Short mmCIF file of all heavy atoms in Angstrom, two decimals:
data_model
loop_
_atom_site.label_atom_id
_atom_site.label_comp_id
_atom_site.label_asym_id
_atom_site.label_seq_id
_atom_site.Cartn_x
_atom_site.Cartn_y
_atom_site.Cartn_z
N ALA A 140 213.19 22.56 64.86
CA ALA A 140 212.14 23.03 64.06
C ALA A 140 210.81 22.98 64.83
O ALA A 140 209.88 23.86 64.79
CB ALA A 140 211.86 22.10 62.85
N TRP A 141 210.59 21.89 65.81
CA TRP A 141 209.46 21.77 66.54
C TRP A 141 209.50 23.05 67.53
O TRP A 141 208.38 23.63 67.66
CB TRP A 141 209.73 20.47 67.33
CG TRP A 141 208.56 20.30 68.32
CD1 TRP A 141 208.47 20.76 69.63
CD2 TRP A 141 207.42 19.52 68.24
NE1 TRP A 141 207.42 20.37 70.36
CE2 TRP A 141 206.64 19.51 69.47
CE3 TRP A 141 206.94 18.60 67.19
CZ2 TRP A 141 205.48 18.79 69.69
CZ3 TRP A 141 205.68 17.95 67.37
CH2 TRP A 141 205.06 18.08 68.58
N LEU A 142 210.64 23.28 68.21
CA LEU A 142 210.66 24.42 69.20
C LEU A 142 210.42 25.73 68.42
O LEU A 142 209.72 26.62 69.06
CB LEU A 142 212.03 24.35 69.86
CG LEU A 142 212.27 23.28 70.85
CD1 LEU A 142 213.62 23.40 71.37
CD2 LEU A 142 211.19 23.27 71.98
N SER A 143 211.00 25.95 67.30
CA SER A 143 210.76 27.23 66.63
C SER A 143 209.23 27.30 66.18
O SER A 143 208.77 28.57 66.32
CB SER A 143 211.68 27.28 65.28
OG SER A 143 212.93 27.30 65.63
N SER A 144 208.66 26.32 65.76
CA SER A 144 207.30 26.41 65.40
C SER A 144 206.41 26.71 66.57
O SER A 144 205.41 27.50 66.62
CB SER A 144 206.77 25.17 64.70
OG SER A 144 207.50 24.91 63.49
N ARG A 145 206.78 25.98 67.71
CA ARG A 145 206.07 26.13 68.98
C ARG A 145 206.05 27.62 69.52
O ARG A 145 205.19 28.20 69.99
CB ARG A 145 206.64 25.22 70.00
CG ARG A 145 205.98 25.24 71.39
CD ARG A 145 206.65 24.05 72.25
NE ARG A 145 206.08 24.10 73.57
CZ ARG A 145 206.80 24.60 74.60
NH1 ARG A 145 207.91 25.29 74.38
NH2 ARG A 145 206.33 24.65 75.85
N ASN A 146 207.22 28.32 69.25
CA ASN A 146 207.51 29.64 69.88
C ASN A 146 206.62 30.68 69.02
O ASN A 146 206.53 31.83 69.46
CB ASN A 146 208.94 29.95 69.92
CG ASN A 146 209.68 29.29 71.11
OD1 ASN A 146 209.07 29.00 71.94
ND2 ASN A 146 210.97 29.35 70.94
N LEU A 147 206.16 30.32 67.81
CA LEU A 147 205.45 31.20 66.97
C LEU A 147 203.90 31.18 67.46
O LEU A 147 203.17 32.02 67.03
CB LEU A 147 205.50 30.74 65.51
CG LEU A 147 206.83 30.86 64.89
CD1 LEU A 147 206.92 30.39 63.48
CD2 LEU A 147 207.29 32.39 64.90
N LEU A 148 203.59 30.25 68.22
CA LEU A 148 202.17 30.12 68.69
C LEU A 148 201.82 31.13 69.77
O LEU A 148 202.68 31.62 70.51
CB LEU A 148 201.89 28.70 69.19
CG LEU A 148 201.99 27.57 68.14
CD1 LEU A 148 201.91 26.30 68.88
CD2 LEU A 148 201.05 27.82 67.01
N PRO A 149 200.49 31.49 69.87
CA PRO A 149 200.08 32.41 71.00
C PRO A 149 200.49 31.68 72.42
O PRO A 149 200.54 30.56 72.45
CB PRO A 149 198.66 32.51 70.82
CG PRO A 149 198.32 32.25 69.31
CD PRO A 149 199.39 31.25 69.09
N GLY A 150 200.76 32.46 73.41
CA GLY A 150 201.14 32.00 74.69
C GLY A 150 200.48 30.73 75.19
O GLY A 150 201.00 29.82 75.59
N LEU A 151 199.19 30.92 75.33
CA LEU A 151 198.47 29.88 75.98
C LEU A 151 198.51 28.59 75.23
O LEU A 151 198.69 27.44 75.73
CB LEU A 151 196.96 30.35 76.18
CG LEU A 151 196.65 31.35 77.17
CD1 LEU A 151 195.30 31.78 77.30
CD2 LEU A 151 197.22 31.01 78.59
N LEU A 152 198.35 28.70 73.84
CA LEU A 152 198.43 27.46 73.06
C LEU A 152 199.75 26.93 73.01
O LEU A 152 199.90 25.66 73.03
CB LEU A 152 197.95 27.92 71.60
CG LEU A 152 197.92 26.74 70.57
CD1 LEU A 152 197.00 25.64 70.94
CD2 LEU A 152 197.57 27.27 69.16
N ARG A 153 200.87 27.77 73.12
CA ARG A 153 202.24 27.31 73.08
C ARG A 153 202.42 26.42 74.28
O ARG A 153 202.97 25.31 74.25
CB ARG A 153 203.10 28.41 73.08
CG ARG A 153 204.54 28.00 73.40
CD ARG A 153 205.40 29.26 73.53
NE ARG A 153 206.76 28.96 73.80
CZ ARG A 153 207.47 28.55 74.93
NH1 ARG A 153 206.64 28.42 76.04
NH2 ARG A 153 208.70 28.34 74.93
#
Side-chain angles (χ1 to χ4, degrees):
W141 177 280
L142 290 175
S143 293
S144 299
R145 180 173 176 266
N146 282 343
L147 295 175
L148 298 172
L151 292 177
L152 181 57
R153 174 191 181 275

